[in-house]
Every structure is written in structure tokens, then in C-alpha cells.
């Protein structure tokens, strides 16, 4: 275990206790066993074990039978849903982008969109990513979304043919075009969701 790294460090007292147990400086076998057990419990208390590195562990009271000097890492009364709601959308996407596979691809597209939105939607820069309304870019409704999705699809096909001819794209490649396709499709889904909500 690394000592002194990260925001969830094992207290130095725990390190000393473990050192004394391992080196045999504590001669009473029963005491060694109790101390080792407490060390393991405390390490679980401060160890980030959940998908976001903050899963709730045992309380200090359950380990020592008394309160500790510092606050618990996570409020034990906070539910998983409440915890997720408190995390910024961009942070969630950054975490998902590290997972790999399909979720990471979607998160990568979303992160790209957040960066581009700083240029395209500067008047909404104070809003959260999920609050930005992009419908003014698609004045013809479904036809506008269809045109953009078709345009990006046609570019993807053209780039594929170019690569098959052993030629390199001059600008954005297949990955960039695929990420754009994901986002334009998502624009439509978001707009349709707003429309459905308004009709309810």
C-alpha cells in the first residue's frame, strides 16, 4: 500500500502499527492479532472501493467504538443517488471515459461536445452541459437533424473510401466524424425529450 499518496491517505499511526506488527516488535500474539484486525478495518474505512472511489465503508465508531478526530470521507446518510446528483456532469463523463468500451465512447463524444459548446454556445456558458438548448441550430426541426446526420454519415463513407485507397484524410478522420455523428443523434434525442416533456 502506498503511504502518503492521494487524498485518502492511511493515517501515519496506522502505518506505525502495521510496521510494529510485521517486524515483531509487538511480542504479545493476542495484541498483534487485535491490532492487525483494527488496521485492516481502518484501511477499509479510508480505501476508495466504489466505482467513483468513494463507496461508503464502516463507520469510525464500528472500528474503535469511538469517534475519530476527522470527519468521515462520505456522509453515511447520503444515498448513491444523492451522491451522483452532487457530481458535475463533466466529471461523470470523465470517469466514464476511463472505463473503456461503449460507455467510454459515448462519454468521449459528450466531453468533445462540452468543449465545442464553449465556442458555439458562449451565451449559455454559465449553464450546465445538460441545460444548454441547441434547438436554434436546427430551425427546420427533424429535417435539420436529418440533414446534419446525413452529412456526417456521407463524410464517414467518403473517408472510408479514401482510406481504402490508402489515402489519409486532410482534416478530421473517422473517429472525429463518428463522434460528431453520436452528438448530432443525441441533439435530436434531447430536443425530442424537451418536446415530449412540454406535451405532457
Amino acid at each position: 500500500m502506498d503511504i502518503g499518496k492521494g487524498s485518502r491517505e492511511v493515517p501515519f499511526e496506522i502505518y506505525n502499527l502495521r510496521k510494529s506488527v510485521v517486524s515483531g516488535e509487538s511480542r504479545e500474539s493476542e495484541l498483534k492479532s487485535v491490532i492487525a484486525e483494527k488496521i485492516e478495518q481502518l484501511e477499509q474505512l479510508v480505501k476508495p472501493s466504489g466505482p467513483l472511489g468513494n463507496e461508503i465503508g464502516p463507520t469510525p465508531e464500528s472500528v474503535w467504538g469511538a469517534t475519530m478526530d476527522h470527519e468521515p470521507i462520505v456522509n453515511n446518510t447520503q444515498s448513491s443517488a444523492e451522491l451522483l446528483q452532487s457530481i458535475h456532469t463533466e466529471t461523470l463523463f470523465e470517469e466514464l471515459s476511463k472505463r473503456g468500451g461503449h460507455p467510454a465512447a459515448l462519454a468521449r463524444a459528450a466531453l468533445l461536445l462540452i468543449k465545442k459548446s464553449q465556442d458555439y454556445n458562449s451565451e449559455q456558458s454559465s449553464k450546465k452541459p445538460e441545460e444548454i438548448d441547441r434547438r436554434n441550430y436546427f430551425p427546420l426541426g427533424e429535417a435539420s437533424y436529418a440533414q446534419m446526420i446525413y452529412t456526417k454519415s456521407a463524410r464517414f463513407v467518403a473517408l472510408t473510401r479514401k482510406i481504402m485507397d490508402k489515402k489519409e484524410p486532410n482534416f478530421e478522420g473517422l473517429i472525429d466524424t463518428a463522434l460528431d455523428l453520436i452528438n448530432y443523434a443525441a441533439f435530436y434525442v434531447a430536443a425530442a425529450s424537451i418536446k415530449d416533456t412540454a406535451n405532457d
Side-chain angles (χ1 to χ4, degrees):
M1 168 173 289
D2 293 333
I3 301 296
K5 293 183 178 180
S7 61
R8 303 171 186 275
E9 300 170 356
V10 176
F12 190 71
E13 293 81 358
I14 299 177
Y15 174 69
N16 285 335
L17 286 172
R18 176 176 284 283
K19 183 178 179 183
S20 68
V21 171
V22 173
S23 63
E25 291 174 12
S26 178
R27 298 176 182 177
E28 298 292 335
S29 60
E30 183 177 351
L31 179 59
K32 286 169 60 178
S33 175
V34 171
I35 292 175
E37 181 181 351
K38 296 300 182 185
I39 289 171
E40 293 297 330
Q41 290 176 337
L42 280 170
E43 288 175 342
Q44 289 301 315
L45 175 65
V46 298
K47 177 182 178 183
S49 57
L52 295 175
N54 48 20
E55 187 172 284
I56 298 172
T59 64
E61 291 81 0
S62 68
V63 178
W64 293 114
T67 58
M68 298 179 70
D69 293 336
H70 59 275
E71 291 295 323
I73 294 170
V74 176
N75 184 347
N76 286 332
T77 63
Q78 191 175 32
S79 69
S80 297
E82 291 172 334
L83 178 60
L84 287 172
Q85 288 174 1
S86 69
I87 300 173
H88 194 277
T89 301
E90 187 171 359
T91 303
L92 290 174
F93 285 139
E94 287 171 350
E95 173 63 26
L96 283 173
S97 69
K98 302 172 186 175
R99 302 287 178 100
H102 182 248
L106 295 177
R108 183 176 172 184
L111 287 169
L112 174 65
L113 177 59
I114 290 172
K115 296 301 181 186
K116 286 188 173 183
S117 289
Q118 295 171 0
D119 295 329
Y120 286 94
N121 301 284
S122 57
E123 73 282 358
Q124 302 186 67
S125 59
S126 61
K127 293 184 177 181
K128 296 178 181 178
E130 63 271 23
E131 296 172 344
I132 296 176
D133 188 351
R134 299 178 176 83
R135 289 177 294 173
N136 60 318
Y137 286 101
F138 304 92
L140 301 179
E142 282 81 358
S144 291
Y145 294 104
Q147 179 185 9
M148 292 307 303
I149 292 172
Y150 174 80
T151 299
K152 291 298 177 178
S153 298
R155 175 171 172 76
F156 194 92
V157 172
L159 287 173
T160 301
R161 288 173 177 165
K162 190 170 186 178
I163 291 172
M164 291 174 67
D165 290 337
K166 302 188 184 305
K167 297 177 182 178
E168 292 296 323
N170 293 321
F171 298 102
E172 294 181 343
L174 284 176
I175 294 296
D176 294 318
T177 304
L179 292 173
D180 284 341
L181 267 169
I182 292 172
N183 283 327
Y184 278 113
F187 290 161
Y188 172 71
V189 173
S193 298
I194 293 173
K195 186 177 179 180
D196 289 342
T197 301
N199 291 334
D200 287 345

